[in-house]
Amino acid sequence: MRAVIQRVTNASVMVDGKTIGRIEKGLLILLGAGTNDSEKDAKKLADKILGLRIFSDENDKINLSLKDVDGEVLIVSQFTLYADCRKGNRPNFINACEPNKANRLYEYFISLFESKVKNVQKGQFGADMKVQLLNDGPFTIFLDCNGGIIS
């Protein structure tokens, strides 16, 4: 699985002109699932994100996790994280997970946050979404969980 994590002051996602998810201080997570990904990968990635110390403490040191700052989470599915642009100019998505399995992994990933974060919002799988955010920092991290190893 792959995730782009952005520390945000606020973020929201809209479908058909209607806001379906909105958060204040926390993390916007863009999540993609690959053909070989499993629940084990989703759990490993979620645990890593929950433990990331990417928020500032009272001394302005990046030393606090999402839980430490009582942050919120907006999780948006994004299969385009598996774009392969090595050949030509048109991205190839052959390594992206098929939709039914990807949706199951997406929902499972969300459930891993729901028991640990006070406000978890989500996008609509497979929809044309409009995402707005105010990136705090800016602070953006890309994580790739390949066979349980996160890089």
Side-chain angles (χ1 to χ4, degrees):
M1 297 189 88
R2 293 180 176 165
V4 172
I5 300 109
Q6 298 188 42
R7 186 178 72 186
V8 298
T9 300
N10 61 66
S12 63
V13 61
M14 295 175 65
V15 175
D16 296 328
K18 180 181 175 193
T19 300
I20 62 168
R22 177 185 310 265
I23 63 165
E24 295 302 319
K25 180 179 182 175
L27 300 176
L28 168 63
I29 302 169
L30 305 175
L31 182 72
T35 54
N36 296 321
D37 290 332
S38 67
E39 286 81 6
K40 181 180 176 183
D41 297 311
K43 178 152 182 22
K44 184 94 171 172
L45 188 59
D47 288 345
K48 182 68 163 186
I49 293 169
L50 285 163
L52 282 175
R53 297 185 317 170
I54 60 175
F55 293 91
S56 296
D57 64 16
E58 65 280 355
N59 297 316
D60 208 27
K61 290 190 77 140
I62 298 170
N63 203 28
L64 301 175
S65 70
L66 185 68
K67 184 177 179 181
D68 296 329
V69 299
D70 203 24
E72 302 178 354
V73 176
L74 174 59
I75 304 169
V76 176
S77 63
Q78 190 166 352
F79 80 94
T80 60
L81 292 177
Y82 276 88
D84 183 344
C85 299
R86 289 179 288 186
K87 292 183 180 179
N89 293 321
R90 184 183 206 150
N92 175 331
F93 299 103
I94 195 131
N95 294 318
C97 191
E98 62 89 11
N100 288 333
K101 180 181 174 187
N103 190 29
R104 280 195 318 274
L105 288 171
Y106 172 64
E107 292 295 335
Y108 176 67
F109 185 82
I110 291 165
S111 75
L112 297 170
F113 283 84
E114 290 176 329
S115 63
K116 295 181 170 109
V117 177
K118 70 172 182 168
N119 183 23
V120 178
Q121 299 286 307
K122 64 180 184 173
Q124 181 180 329
F125 186 87
D128 179 18
M129 295 175 278
K130 307 300 181 211
V131 178
Q132 290 185 316
L133 67 134
L134 182 56
N135 193 313
D136 180 18
F139 203 110
T140 303
I141 294 175
F142 175 74
L143 294 178
D144 190 352
C145 184
N146 186 354
I149 298 171
I150 298 178
S151 59

